[in-house]
Coordinates of all heavy atoms in Angstrom, one line a residue:
K16 N -21.3 12.2 0.1 CA -22.1 11.9 -1.0 C -21.3 11.8 -2.3 O -20.2 12.3 -2.5 CB -23.3 13.0 -1.2 CG -24.3 13.0 -0.1 CD -25.3 14.2 -0.4 CE -26.3 14.2 0.7 NZ -27.4 15.2 0.4
I17 N -21.9 10.9 -3.1 CA -21.3 10.7 -4.5 C -22.4 11.1 -5.5 O -23.5 10.5 -5.5 CB -20.8 9.3 -4.7 CG1 -19.6 9.0 -3.8 CG2 -20.4 9.1 -6.1 CD1 -19.1 7.5 -4.0
S18 N -22.1 12.0 -6.2 CA -23.1 12.5 -7.2 C -24.4 12.9 -6.6 O -25.4 12.7 -7.0 CB -23.3 11.4 -8.4 OG -22.2 11.2 -9.0
G19 N -24.3 13.6 -5.4 CA -25.4 14.1 -4.7 C -26.2 13.1 -3.9 O -27.2 13.3 -3.4
S20 N -25.7 11.8 -3.9 CA -26.4 10.7 -3.3 C -25.6 10.0 -2.1 O -24.3 9.9 -2.2 CB -26.7 9.6 -4.3 OG -27.3 8.4 -3.6
S21 N -26.3 9.6 -1.1 CA -25.6 8.9 0.1 C -25.4 7.4 -0.2 O -25.0 6.6 0.6 CB -26.5 9.0 1.4 OG -26.4 10.4 1.7
L22 N -25.9 7.0 -1.5 CA -25.8 5.5 -1.7 C -24.5 5.3 -2.4 O -24.4 4.9 -3.6 CB -27.0 5.1 -2.7 CG -28.3 5.4 -2.2 CD1 -29.5 5.0 -3.2 CD2 -28.6 4.5 -1.0
L23 N -23.5 5.3 -1.6 CA -22.1 5.1 -2.0 C -21.8 3.8 -2.7 O -21.2 3.7 -3.8 CB -21.1 5.3 -0.9 CG -21.2 6.5 0.0 CD1 -20.0 6.6 1.0 CD2 -21.2 7.8 -0.7
G24 N -22.4 2.7 -2.2 CA -22.1 1.4 -2.7 C -22.8 1.3 -4.1 O -22.5 0.3 -4.8
V25 N -23.8 2.0 -4.4 CA -24.4 1.9 -5.8 C -23.5 2.6 -6.9 O -23.4 2.1 -7.9 CB -25.8 2.6 -5.7 CG1 -26.3 2.7 -7.1 CG2 -26.8 1.9 -4.7
F26 N -22.9 3.6 -6.4 CA -22.2 4.4 -7.5 C -20.6 4.0 -7.4 O -20.0 4.4 -8.4 CB -22.1 5.9 -7.0 CG -23.6 6.5 -7.4 CD1 -24.5 6.6 -6.3 CD2 -23.9 7.0 -8.6 CE1 -25.7 7.1 -6.5 CE2 -25.2 7.4 -8.8 CZ -26.1 7.5 -7.9
A27 N -20.0 3.4 -6.5 CA -18.7 3.1 -6.4 C -18.4 1.7 -5.9 O -19.1 1.1 -5.3 CB -17.9 4.1 -5.5
R28 N -17.2 1.2 -6.2 CA -16.8 -0.1 -5.8 C -15.3 -0.1 -5.4 O -14.4 0.5 -6.2 CB -16.9 -1.2 -6.9 CG -16.5 -2.6 -6.6 CD -17.3 -3.2 -5.5 NE -18.7 -3.2 -5.9 CZ -19.6 -3.5 -5.0 NH1 -19.4 -3.9 -3.7 NH2 -20.9 -3.5 -5.3
C29 N -14.8 -0.6 -4.2 CA -13.5 -0.5 -3.9 C -12.9 -1.8 -3.5 O -13.6 -2.7 -3.1 CB -13.2 0.5 -2.8 SG -13.9 0.0 -1.1
T30 N -11.5 -1.9 -3.6 CA -10.7 -3.1 -3.2 C -9.7 -2.5 -2.3 O -9.5 -1.3 -2.0 CB -10.3 -3.9 -4.4 OG1 -9.2 -3.1 -5.0 CG2 -11.3 -4.2 -5.4
D31 N -8.7 -3.4 -1.9 CA -7.5 -3.1 -1.3 C -6.5 -2.3 -2.2 O -5.5 -1.8 -1.7 CB -6.8 -4.2 -0.5 CG -7.6 -4.5 0.8 OD1 -8.5 -3.9 1.1 OD2 -7.1 -5.5 1.4
D32 N -6.8 -2.3 -3.5 CA -5.9 -1.6 -4.4 C -6.4 -0.4 -5.0 O -5.7 0.5 -5.3 CB -5.5 -2.7 -5.5 CG -4.8 -3.9 -5.0 OD1 -3.9 -3.7 -4.2 OD2 -5.2 -5.0 -5.4
I33 N -7.7 -0.3 -5.4 CA -8.3 0.9 -6.1 C -9.8 1.0 -5.6 O -10.4 0.2 -5.0 CB -8.3 0.6 -7.7 CG1 -9.1 -0.7 -8.1 CG2 -6.8 0.5 -8.2 CD1 -9.3 -0.8 -9.6
V34 N -10.2 2.2 -6.1 CA -11.6 2.5 -5.9 C -12.2 2.9 -7.3 O -11.6 3.8 -7.9 CB -12.0 3.6 -4.8 CG1 -11.2 4.9 -5.0 CG2 -13.5 3.8 -4.7
L35 N -13.2 2.2 -7.8 CA -13.8 2.6 -9.0 C -15.0 3.6 -8.8 O -15.8 3.4 -8.0 CB -14.4 1.3 -9.6 CG -13.4 0.2 -9.8 CD1 -14.2 -1.1 -10.4 CD2 -12.3 0.4 -10.9
L36 N -14.8 4.7 -9.6 CA -15.9 5.7 -9.4 C -16.4 6.1 -10.8 O -15.8 6.0 -11.8 CB -15.1 6.9 -8.9 CG -14.6 6.8 -7.5 CD1 -13.7 8.1 -7.1 CD2 -15.8 6.7 -6.5
P37 N -17.7 6.6 -10.9 CA -18.2 7.2 -12.2 C -17.4 8.4 -12.6 O -17.0 9.2 -11.7 CB -19.6 7.4 -11.8 CG -19.7 7.6 -10.3 CD -18.6 6.6 -9.8
A38 N -17.3 8.7 -13.8 CA -16.5 9.8 -14.3 C -17.0 11.1 -13.9 O -16.2 12.1 -13.9 CB -16.5 9.8 -15.9
M39 N -18.2 11.2 -13.4 CA -18.8 12.6 -13.0 C -18.3 13.0 -11.7 O -18.6 14.2 -11.3 CB -20.2 12.6 -13.2 CG -21.0 12.0 -12.1 SD -21.1 10.2 -12.2 CE -22.4 10.2 -13.6
V40 N -17.6 12.2 -10.9 CA -17.1 12.6 -9.5 C -16.3 13.8 -9.6 O -15.2 13.8 -10.4 CB -16.6 11.5 -8.8 CG1 -16.1 11.9 -7.5 CG2 -17.6 10.3 -8.6
G41 N -16.5 14.8 -8.9 CA -15.5 16.0 -8.9 C -14.1 15.7 -8.2 O -14.1 14.8 -7.5
A42 N -13.3 16.7 -8.6 CA -11.9 16.4 -8.1 C -11.7 16.4 -6.7 O -11.0 15.7 -6.0 CB -11.0 17.5 -8.7
E43 N -12.5 17.4 -6.0 CA -12.4 17.4 -4.4 C -12.9 16.1 -3.8 O -12.2 15.4 -2.9 CB -13.1 18.6 -3.9 CG -13.0 18.8 -2.5 CD -13.7 20.0 -1.9 OE1 -14.1 20.8 -2.7 OE2 -13.8 20.2 -0.6

Side-chain angles (χ1 to χ4, degrees):
K16 289 183 178 181
I17 293 180
S18 300
S20 173
S21 293
L22 299 178
L23 308 189
V25 172
F26 290 95
R28 176 69 54 193
C29 72
T30 72
D31 282 359
D32 298 314
I33 61 173
V34 56
L35 303 175
L36 297 170
M39 79 276 289
V40 173
E43 182 178 350

